[in-house]
Amino acid sequence: MHNKVVWITGASAGIGEAVAYEMAAAGARLALSARRTLELERVADAAKAYGAGDILIIPFDITDEAKLPDMVRRVMDHYGRIDMLVNNAGISQRAYCIDTDMHVYRKIFDIDVFGQIALTKRVLPIMITQKQGHIAVTASVAGKIGVASRTAYCAAKHAMMGFFDALRAEVHQHNIKVTCITPGFIKTAVSENALKGDGSRYAVMDDDIKSGMDVTKAAKIIMRGLARGKKEIVVSQLPEQAALFIKRFIPGLLFRVMEKKAEQETFK
Ligand SMILES: NC(=O)c1ccc[n+]([C@@H]2O[C@H](COP(=O)([O-])OP(=O)(O)OC[C@H]3O[C@@H](n4cnc5c(N)ncnc54)[C@H](OP(=O)(O)O)[C@@H]3O)[C@@H](O)[C@H]2O)c1
């Protein structure tokens, strides 16, 4: 990653922040994006301790499609190229389908799906001209397994797995790599920031996330996978790995387990 220009969205917290530090330590030149400027400045300052040289902060809301051309231009004006785009911004959900307003489905899809696609489409022509590039997306184990209380989130992450798997086939001929990162439970503010059925913030760190993988450990696994150009990086502990295995080979059993888990949930 030394001297590579790496643009990370969702870099103001959690997985994006931790990946930014790993990239800084590896000598990448960073562009960091999210909505909160102050948090991005905090991350940029901290990244200097990891050895980061040049860091560009580009705050924007990933759903604001009209602003994307200007955001891309700012990265290009500063660095002249984009070697890697890490589409990491995202938001989750904690509410049953029956209680979830349609505007919440639309909001989650705007952030987790259409925002990523729109930014990727803006960066793609640059990478094609460069004859080189690497696009990653932070999907999820929820992009492979349906989990109760996350119908919008699972649908969005399944969509992202499909989009980027298809894109990989298209852009291989242009020497562009595509990586789907599929984390299980990682200890971040993801459940606190998740949307309830009415669109308000869930504001609870749920038990699965509390006992999730340390975010720095997750970032190191992601970094290793990206550096190797892996097509898929699974970042999970044993229970999620077991769930993925069972889904693949005994799907009926996995569906039964997910039903039981839903019956035991307390917040519904
Ligand atoms: N933690 C997990 O267990 C887990 C598991 C699987 C997948 N993931 C995925 O990992 C990614 C990062 O999540 P995290 O766990 O690090 O959660 P997080 O701490 O809540 O971070 C989410 C990031 O996305 C940014 N973001 C949210 N909405 C945005 C918007 N409208 N425009 C631009 N940026 C936006 C946030 O920044 P601002 O608020 O400053 O905009 C923040 O930097 C997400 O895609 C998530 O779905 C997480």
Side-chain angles (χ1 to χ4, degrees):
M1 296 295 172
H2 191 69
N3 269 335
K4 299 275 184 206
V5 176
V6 179
W7 188 1
I8 305 172
T9 68
S12 62
I15 295 173
E17 174 180 355
V19 169
Y21 298 149
E22 295 303 318
M23 289 286 179
R29 291 179 288 162
L30 294 172
L32 304 178
S33 291
R35 287 166 303 179
R36 291 170 296 165
T37 308
L38 284 178
E39 288 305 304
L40 288 173
E41 283 169 359
R42 176 187 62 75
V43 173
D45 277 349
K48 288 188 185 125
Y50 289 81
D54 207 356
I55 305 184
L56 179 67
I57 287 176
I58 309 181
F60 69 99
D61 188 320
I62 196 84
T63 64
D64 193 350
E65 205 181 321
K67 279 212 178 123
L68 294 184
D70 194 38
M71 303 298 110
V72 173
R73 202 172 307 118
R74 284 177 59 189
V75 181
M76 289 303 284
D77 284 350
H78 191 82
Y79 288 122
R81 58 185 296 112
I82 301 170
D83 294 299
M84 182 182 286
L85 170 66
V86 184
N87 288 298
N88 170 76
I91 193 158
S92 191
Q93 174 196 18
R94 293 294 184 276
Y96 277 17
C97 171
I98 192 76
D99 302 318
T100 303
D101 295 344
M102 272 314 293
H103 84 265
V104 175
Y105 280 97
R106 292 205 173 87
K107 182 166 182 182
I108 289 175
F109 264 68
D110 276 344
I111 297 170
D112 291 0
V113 179
F114 297 119
Q116 326 292 323
I117 293 176
L119 183 58
T120 297
K121 274 177 65 62
R122 290 280 166 193
V123 170
L124 211 47
I126 294 166
M127 290 185 171
I128 290 173
T129 305
Q130 289 172 179
K131 298 186 171 54
Q132 180 266 335
H134 191 162
I135 301 172
V137 63
T138 311
S140 175
V141 168
K144 288 171 175 276
I145 289 175
V147 186
S149 81
R150 275 157 249 191
T151 49
Y153 184 67
C154 287
K157 294 298 185 179
H158 273 72
M160 283 295 83
M161 294 295 299
F163 176 88
F164 282 98
D165 281 351
L167 183 70
R168 181 185 301 111
E170 291 182 12
V171 299
H172 172 76
Q173 60 191 305
H174 298 292
N175 194 28
I176 298 170
K177 293 181 187 133
V178 174
T179 300
C180 291
I181 303 162
T182 58
F185 300 118
I186 313 295
K187 197 170 173 189
T188 68
V190 68
S191 70
E192 289 155 89
N193 293 331
L195 301 184
K196 294 201 283 189
D198 61 359
S200 60
R201 201 168 165 263
Y202 182 56
V204 175
M205 182 179 280
D206 51 27
D207 290 344
D208 286 333
I209 297 296
K210 224 179 268 174
S211 59
M213 185 186 287
D214 170 71
V215 70
T216 302
K217 182 177 175 188
K220 286 186 189 304
I221 295 170
I222 292 168
M223 184 69 195
R224 215 165 34 239
L226 289 176
R228 289 179 187 163
K230 285 182 74 169
K231 295 180 172 63
E232 198 170 314
I233 307 171
V234 181
V235 193
S236 64
Q237 304 186 102
L238 203 56
E240 300 99 287
Q241 282 168 19
L244 288 171
F245 182 85
I246 296 169
K247 169 78 191 286
R248 186 159 178 203
F249 294 106
I250 330 170
L253 174 60
L254 196 269
F255 297 144
R256 187 73 203 114
V257 170
M258 299 319 278
E259 287 162 4
K260 282 273 164 220
K261 194 166 153 44
E263 281 163 19
Q264 288 156 8
E265 266 175 0
T266 48
F267 75 90
K268 52 186 175 180

Coordinates of all heavy atoms in Angstrom, one line a residue, residues 52-103:
A52 N 1.1 8.3 9.0 CA 0.5 8.8 7.8 C 1.2 10.1 7.4 O 1.6 10.9 8.2 CB -1.0 9.1 8.1
G53 N 1.4 10.2 6.1 CA 1.9 11.5 5.5 C 0.7 12.3 5.1 O 0.1 13.0 5.9
D54 N 0.4 12.3 3.8 CA -0.6 13.2 3.3 C -2.0 12.6 3.6 O -2.3 11.4 3.4 CB -0.4 13.2 1.8 CG -1.0 14.5 1.2 OD1 -1.6 15.3 2.0 OD2 -0.8 14.7 0.0
I55 N -2.9 13.4 4.2 CA -4.3 13.0 4.5 C -5.2 14.1 4.0 O -5.0 15.3 4.4 CB -4.5 12.7 5.9 CG1 -3.5 11.7 6.5 CG2 -6.0 12.2 6.1 CD1 -3.8 11.3 7.9
L56 N -6.2 13.7 3.2 CA -7.2 14.7 2.7 C -8.5 14.3 3.4 O -8.9 13.1 3.3 CB -7.3 14.6 1.2 CG -8.3 15.5 0.5 CD1 -7.9 16.9 0.6 CD2 -8.4 15.0 -1.0
I57 N -9.2 15.3 3.9 CA -10.5 15.1 4.5 C -11.6 15.6 3.6 O -11.5 16.7 3.1 CB -10.6 15.8 5.9 CG1 -9.8 15.1 6.9 CG2 -12.0 15.9 6.3 CD1 -9.7 15.8 8.2
I58 N -12.5 14.7 3.2 CA -13.6 15.1 2.3 C -14.9 14.7 3.0 O -15.5 13.6 2.7 CB -13.5 14.4 1.0 CG1 -12.0 14.7 0.5 CG2 -14.5 15.0 0.0 CD1 -11.8 14.0 -0.9
P59 N -15.5 15.7 3.8 CA -16.8 15.3 4.4 C -18.0 15.4 3.4 O -18.0 16.4 2.6 CB -17.0 16.4 5.5 CG -15.7 17.2 5.4 CD -15.1 17.0 4.1
F60 N -18.8 14.4 3.4 CA -20.0 14.5 2.6 C -21.0 13.4 3.0 O -20.5 12.4 3.6 CB -19.8 14.5 1.1 CG -19.3 13.2 0.5 CD1 -20.1 12.3 -0.1 CD2 -17.9 12.8 0.6 CE1 -19.7 11.0 -0.6 CE2 -17.5 11.6 0.1 CZ -18.3 10.7 -0.5
D61 N -22.2 13.6 2.7 CA -23.2 12.6 2.9 C -23.3 11.7 1.7 O -23.5 12.2 0.6 CB -24.6 13.3 3.2 CG -25.7 12.3 3.7 OD1 -25.7 11.1 3.1 OD2 -26.4 12.6 4.6
I62 N -23.1 10.4 1.9 CA -23.0 9.5 0.7 C -24.3 9.5 -0.1 O -24.3 9.1 -1.2 CB -22.7 8.1 1.2 CG1 -22.2 7.1 0.1 CG2 -23.8 7.4 1.9 CD1 -20.8 7.3 -0.3
T63 N -25.4 9.9 0.5 CA -26.7 10.0 -0.2 C -26.9 11.2 -1.1 O -27.8 11.3 -1.9 CB -27.9 9.9 0.7 OG1 -27.9 11.0 1.6 CG2 -27.8 8.6 1.6
D64 N -25.9 12.1 -0.9 CA -26.0 13.4 -1.7 C -25.3 13.2 -3.0 O -24.2 13.7 -3.3 CB -25.4 14.5 -0.9 CG -25.7 15.9 -1.4 OD1 -26.3 16.0 -2.5 OD2 -25.4 16.9 -0.7
E65 N -26.0 12.6 -4.0 CA -25.4 12.2 -5.2 C -24.9 13.4 -6.0 O -23.9 13.3 -6.7 CB -26.5 11.4 -6.0 CG -25.8 10.5 -7.0 CD -26.9 9.7 -7.9 OE1 -27.9 9.3 -7.3 OE2 -26.6 9.5 -9.1
A66 N -25.6 14.5 -5.9 CA -25.3 15.7 -6.7 C -23.9 16.2 -6.3 O -23.2 16.8 -7.1 CB -26.3 16.8 -6.5
K67 N -23.4 15.9 -5.1 CA -22.1 16.4 -4.6 C -21.0 15.5 -5.1 O -19.8 15.9 -5.0 CB -22.1 16.5 -3.1 CG -22.8 17.7 -2.5 CD -22.1 18.1 -1.2 CE -22.7 19.4 -0.7 NZ -23.2 19.2 0.7
L68 N -21.3 14.3 -5.5 CA -20.2 13.3 -5.8 C -19.2 13.8 -6.8 O -18.0 13.6 -6.6 CB -20.8 12.0 -6.2 CG -21.6 11.3 -5.0 CD1 -22.0 9.9 -5.5 CD2 -20.8 11.2 -3.7
P69 N -19.6 14.4 -7.9 CA -18.6 14.8 -8.9 C -17.5 15.7 -8.3 O -16.3 15.6 -8.6 CB -19.4 15.5 -10.0 CG -20.8 14.9 -9.9 CD -21.0 14.6 -8.4
D70 N -18.0 16.7 -7.5 CA -17.1 17.6 -6.8 C -16.2 16.9 -5.8 O -15.0 17.2 -5.7 CB -17.9 18.7 -6.1 CG -17.1 19.9 -5.7 OD1 -16.2 20.2 -6.5 OD2 -17.3 20.4 -4.6
M71 N -16.7 15.9 -5.1 CA -15.9 15.2 -4.1 C -14.8 14.4 -4.8 O -13.6 14.4 -4.4 CB -16.7 14.2 -3.3 CG -17.9 14.8 -2.6 SD -17.4 16.0 -1.3 CE -18.0 17.5 -2.1
V72 N -15.1 13.8 -6.0 CA -14.1 13.0 -6.7 C -13.1 14.0 -7.3 O -11.9 13.7 -7.3 CB -14.8 12.2 -7.9 CG1 -13.8 11.6 -8.8 CG2 -15.8 11.2 -7.3
R73 N -13.6 15.1 -7.8 CA -12.6 16.1 -8.3 C -11.6 16.6 -7.3 O -10.4 16.7 -7.5 CB -13.4 17.3 -8.9 CG -12.6 18.1 -9.9 CD -13.5 19.2 -10.6 NE -14.7 18.7 -11.1 CZ -16.0 19.1 -10.7 NH1 -16.1 19.9 -9.8 NH2 -17.0 18.5 -11.3
R74 N -12.1 16.7 -6.0 CA -11.2 17.2 -5.0 C -10.1 16.1 -4.7 O -8.9 16.5 -4.5 CB -12.0 17.5 -3.7 CG -12.7 18.8 -3.8 CD -13.6 19.0 -2.5 NE -12.8 19.0 -1.3 CZ -13.3 19.1 -0.1 NH1 -14.6 19.1 0.1 NH2 -12.5 19.1 1.0
V75 N -10.5 14.9 -4.7 CA -9.4 13.8 -4.5 C -8.4 13.9 -5.7 O -7.2 13.8 -5.5 CB -10.1 12.4 -4.4 CG1 -9.0 11.4 -4.2 CG2 -11.1 12.4 -3.3
M76 N -9.0 14.0 -6.9 CA -8.1 14.0 -8.1 C -7.2 15.3 -8.2 O -6.0 15.2 -8.5 CB -8.9 13.9 -9.4 CG -9.6 12.5 -9.6 SD -8.4 11.2 -9.6 CE -7.7 11.4 -11.2
D77 N -7.8 16.4 -7.8 CA -7.0 17.7 -7.8 C -5.8 17.5 -6.8 O -4.7 18.0 -7.0 CB -7.8 18.9 -7.3 CG -8.7 19.3 -8.5 OD1 -8.6 18.8 -9.6 OD2 -9.7 20.1 -8.2
H78 N -6.1 16.8 -5.7 CA -5.0 16.7 -4.6 C -4.0 15.6 -4.9 O -2.8 15.9 -4.8 CB -5.7 16.4 -3.3 CG -4.8 16.5 -2.1 ND1 -4.5 17.7 -1.5 CD2 -4.1 15.6 -1.4 CE1 -3.7 17.5 -0.5 NE2 -3.4 16.2 -0.4
Y79 N -4.5 14.5 -5.4 CA -3.6 13.3 -5.5 C -3.3 12.9 -7.0 O -2.3 12.2 -7.3 CB -4.1 12.1 -4.8 CG -4.1 12.1 -3.3 CD1 -5.3 12.0 -2.6 CD2 -2.9 12.3 -2.7 CE1 -5.2 12.0 -1.2 CE2 -2.8 12.3 -1.3 CZ -4.0 12.2 -0.5 OH -3.9 12.2 0.8
G80 N -4.2 13.3 -7.9 CA -4.0 13.0 -9.3 C -4.4 11.6 -9.7 O -4.3 11.2 -10.9
R81 N -4.7 10.8 -8.7 CA -5.1 9.4 -9.0 C -5.9 8.8 -7.8 O -5.8 9.4 -6.7 CB -3.9 8.5 -9.3 CG -2.8 8.5 -8.2 CD -1.6 7.7 -8.7 NE -1.9 6.3 -8.9 CZ -1.9 5.7 -10.1 NH1 -1.6 6.4 -11.2 NH2 -2.2 4.4 -10.3
I82 N -6.5 7.7 -8.0 CA -7.2 7.0 -7.0 C -6.8 5.5 -7.2 O -7.3 4.9 -8.1 CB -8.7 7.1 -7.0 CG1 -9.1 8.6 -6.8 CG2 -9.4 6.3 -5.8 CD1 -10.6 8.9 -7.1
D83 N -6.0 4.9 -6.3 CA -5.6 3.5 -6.4 C -6.7 2.6 -5.8 O -6.9 1.5 -6.3 CB -4.3 3.3 -5.8 CG -3.2 4.1 -6.5 OD1 -3.0 3.8 -7.7 OD2 -2.6 5.0 -5.9
M84 N -7.3 3.0 -4.7 CA -8.2 2.1 -4.0 C -9.4 3.0 -3.4 O -9.2 4.0 -2.8 CB -7.5 1.4 -2.9 CG -8.5 0.4 -2.2 SD -7.7 -0.5 -0.8 CE -6.6 -1.6 -1.6
L85 N -10.6 2.4 -3.6 CA -11.8 3.0 -3.0 C -12.3 2.0 -2.1 O -12.6 0.9 -2.5 CB -12.8 3.4 -4.1 CG -14.2 3.8 -3.6 CD1 -14.1 5.1 -2.8 CD2 -15.2 3.9 -4.7
V86 N -12.5 2.3 -0.8 CA -13.1 1.4 0.2 C -14.5 2.0 0.5 O -14.6 2.9 1.3 CB -12.2 1.3 1.5 CG1 -12.8 0.2 2.4 CG2 -10.8 0.9 1.1
N87 N -15.5 1.4 0.0 CA -16.9 1.8 0.2 C -17.3 1.2 1.5 O -17.8 0.0 1.6 CB -17.8 1.2 -0.9 CG -17.6 1.9 -2.2 OD1 -17.9 3.1 -2.3 ND2 -17.2 1.2 -3.2
N88 N -17.1 1.9 2.6 CA -17.4 1.4 3.9 C -18.5 2.0 4.7 O -19.0 1.4 5.6 CB -16.0 1.5 4.7 CG -16.2 1.1 6.2 OD1 -16.3 0.0 6.5 ND2 -16.3 2.2 7.0
A89 N -18.9 3.2 4.3 CA -20.0 3.9 5.0 C -21.3 3.0 5.0 O -21.5 2.3 4.1 CB -20.4 5.2 4.3
G90 N -21.9 3.0 6.1 CA -23.1 2.1 6.2 C -23.9 2.3 7.5 O -23.4 2.9 8.5
I91 N -25.2 1.9 7.4 CA -26.0 2.0 8.6 C -26.9 0.7 8.7 O -27.2 0.1 7.7 CB -26.9 3.2 8.5 CG1 -27.6 3.6 9.8 CG2 -27.9 3.1 7.3 CD1 -28.0 5.0 9.9
S92 N -27.1 0.3 10.0 CA -27.9 -1.0 10.1 C -29.3 -0.7 10.6 O -29.8 0.5 10.6 CB -27.1 -1.8 11.1 OG -27.7 -3.1 11.1
Q93 N -30.0 -1.7 11.0 CA -31.4 -1.6 11.4 C -31.7 -2.5 12.6 O -31.0 -3.6 12.7 CB -32.2 -2.1 10.2 CG -33.7 -2.3 10.4 CD -34.4 -3.1 9.4 OE1 -33.7 -3.9 8.7 NE2 -35.7 -3.0 9.2
R94 N -32.6 -2.1 13.5 CA -33.0 -3.0 14.5 C -34.5 -2.8 14.7 O -35.0 -2.0 15.5 CB -32.3 -2.7 15.9 CG -30.8 -3.0 16.0 CD -30.5 -4.4 15.9 NE -29.1 -4.7 16.0 CZ -28.2 -4.6 15.1 NH1 -28.5 -4.3 13.9 NH2 -26.9 -4.9 15.3
A95 N -35.3 -3.5 13.9 CA -36.8 -3.5 14.0 C -37.3 -4.5 13.1 O -36.7 -4.9 12.0 CB -37.3 -2.1 13.5
Y96 N -38.4 -5.1 13.5 CA -39.1 -6.1 12.6 C -39.7 -5.4 11.4 O -40.1 -4.3 11.5 CB -40.1 -6.9 13.4 CG -39.5 -8.0 14.2 CD1 -38.1 -8.1 14.5 CD2 -40.3 -9.1 14.7 CE1 -37.5 -9.1 15.2 CE2 -39.7 -10.1 15.4 CZ -38.3 -10.1 15.7 OH -37.8 -11.1 16.4
C97 N -39.9 -6.2 10.4 CA -40.5 -5.7 9.1 C -41.8 -5.0 9.4 O -42.1 -3.9 8.9 CB -40.6 -6.9 8.1 SG -41.5 -6.5 6.7
I98 N -42.6 -5.7 10.2 CA -44.0 -5.2 10.4 C -44.0 -3.8 11.1 O -44.9 -3.1 10.9 CB -44.7 -6.3 11.3 CG1 -46.2 -6.0 11.4 CG2 -44.2 -6.3 12.7 CD1 -47.0 -6.4 10.1
D99 N -42.9 -3.5 11.8 CA -42.8 -2.2 12.5 C -42.0 -1.2 11.7 O -41.7 -0.1 12.2 CB -42.2 -2.4 13.8 CG -43.0 -3.4 14.7 OD1 -44.2 -3.3 14.7 OD2 -42.3 -4.3 15.3
T100 N -41.5 -1.5 10.5 CA -40.5 -0.6 9.9 C -41.2 0.2 8.8 O -41.8 -0.4 7.8 CB -39.3 -1.5 9.2 OG1 -38.7 -2.2 10.3 CG2 -38.3 -0.5 8.6
D101 N -41.2 1.5 8.9 CA -41.8 2.3 7.9 C -41.0 2.2 6.5 O -39.8 2.0 6.5 CB -41.7 3.8 8.3 CG -42.5 4.1 9.6 OD1 -43.4 3.2 9.9 OD2 -42.3 5.1 10.2
M102 N -41.7 2.4 5.4 CA -41.1 2.3 4.1 C -39.9 3.4 4.0 O -38.9 3.1 3.3 CB -42.1 2.6 3.0 CG -42.8 1.3 2.5 SD -41.7 -0.1 2.3 CE -40.7 0.4 0.9
H103 N -40.1 4.5 4.7 CA -39.0 5.5 4.5 C -37.7 5.0 5.1 O -36.6 5.4 4.7 CB -39.4 6.9 5.0 CG -39.2 7.1 6.5 ND1 -40.2 6.9 7.4 CD2 -38.2 7.4 7.2 CE1 -39.8 7.1 8.7 NE2 -38.5 7.5 8.6

